[in-house]
Every structure is written in structure tokens, then in C-alpha cells.
Amino acid sequence: MPADDVPETFHVTTDEQLRAVSNLTRHRIMAVLRFEPATITQIAERLGLAKGSSSYHVRLLERAGLVKVVRTRKVRGVTERYYAMAARSIELPDPGVGGPDVLMRHAVADLEASPADGERHVRMAHLRLTGEQFAELGARLEALTDEYRALSDPALPDVSLVFALFRPAARPQAEGDAK
């Protein structure tokens, strides 16, 4: 399937779709399929899964509409299916106040599973910004992400970029904290 035929965004709207993307293994399968189609065997090898497990998770993603078969070929009498993402990006519903943010949980799990001796850039900063500065920083981060997404080459090793720009919930001050 030509890349131009792939929709830009898949909006997760059903419970089945949300359950499908909420699983860490399925999240990692979608990461494998992010840039190029792959077979069940290729997915299993990339993730260190059994083929049966890989097949099970791919079927759930396919049933939810998140991945689809983009081509098939016969190999020794068996039809080999190549799966790809159904869209370039997936948009999840807002988890609501106090709800779990699935993407951030997956990102933390992926970070924790990355090689400790590998190159990583992790930073947290607490800022005080006006509404205008907040919006500008968000737009700049998104533009920078889009710029580097355009440079992505499937032949190169995977790199994950995660950012969260948000205003934390106000915390009530404990007695004796106010000074």
C-alpha cells in the first residue's frame, strides 16, 4: 500500500480499540509496524515473542481496526500476510481527570526496558509560563517532532521521543507549608 493512501490519524473511539492500544505488547507491535509492513514471524523476531503470541496480539489489533493486511504472498504453499498500521498516528480519547494516560505509561515502560548503557536523553523541567508561552512551547515541540518525523528512515534504528507539556493539578498546601 503506498504511504500516500494511509490516513493521517486513527481516532480511538470504542472500548475494543482502547483495550487494544492499552496493552504494552500490542503497543510494541504497533511500534514495529510504524514505518514498514511486517509478517507475524518478523514481528515475533523483533520483539522476542513466540509466533503464536505475536499472532494473537496482531489479530486483536486487526479486529480493532488499528492494523491491516497490506499485502500477501505465497511461501511454500502458505499465505504470508504483511501487516501495517491503519494510520500514521493514533489519537486516544482524553483520559479525564485522574484517568490513566496509556501513552505515558507505555513510554515509561519502554524507557525502563531500554538498555541502561544505551544513549538516552531524559530530562524533566518545572517551568512557570504565561498562557501564551505555554502555547508557543507546545507548538514548537510539536513542530520539532514533525520535522524529525519527516526525516525518519525505516533502515535506521528505532528512536522514541515522548514529551508531555501540562499544567499540574493544584495541590493543597499542608499546614506549616505556607511561608
Side-chain angles (χ1 to χ4, degrees):
M1 160 185 264
D4 295 341
D5 294 347
V6 178
E8 187 61 37
T9 305
F10 182 97
H11 296 275
V12 171
T13 57
T14 68
D15 288 343
E16 178 185 24
Q17 293 166 344
L18 192 55
R19 278 191 302 277
V21 298
S22 295
N23 178 277
L24 184 58
T25 298
R26 291 189 285 274
H27 162 79
R28 289 178 175 160
I29 289 170
M30 289 186 293
V32 168
L33 300 175
R34 184 177 321 141
F35 294 112
E36 61 188 347
T39 65
I40 295 294
T41 301
Q42 292 167 334
I43 293 167
E45 289 171 355
R46 286 270 316 267
L47 298 177
L49 295 172
K51 279 175 49 174
S53 178
S54 178
S55 177
Y56 167 78
H57 289 290
V58 169
R59 276 194 321 270
L60 289 176
L61 289 167
E62 184 180 24
R63 193 175 314 138
L66 295 157
V67 302
K68 60 185 175 180
V69 176
V70 292
R71 73 176 182 264
T72 60
R73 70 179 191 149
K74 287 279 191 188
V75 178
R76 292 184 290 276
V78 176
T79 301
E80 193 171 57
R81 291 175 181 85
Y82 284 81
Y83 295 88
M85 293 297 300
R88 295 184 208 290
S89 65
I90 296 172
E91 187 172 306
L92 298 177
D94 188 328
V97 177
D101 190 311
V102 172
L103 290 180
M104 281 312 210
R105 288 184 179 190
H106 289 335
V108 169
D110 285 345
L111 175 62
E112 290 171 343
S114 69
D117 60 348
E119 186 176 10
R120 306 192 306 185
H121 301 275
V122 179
R123 181 173 180 191
M124 182 172 186
H126 297 281
L127 310 170
R128 292 188 176 215
L129 304 173
T130 65
E132 185 177 304
Q133 291 169 326
F134 182 89
E136 179 187 343
L137 179 56
R140 287 176 63 189
L141 290 169
E142 288 180 15
L144 188 60
T145 301
D146 291 343
E147 177 185 335
Y148 277 86
R149 182 181 290 137
L151 299 173
S152 291
D153 179 346
L156 297 174
D158 287 345
V159 173
S160 290
L161 169 67
V162 178
F163 68 85
L165 178 64
F166 60 95
R167 294 194 184 278
R171 297 185 188 144
Q173 285 188 336
E175 266 187 61
D177 282 351
K179 288 191 180 185

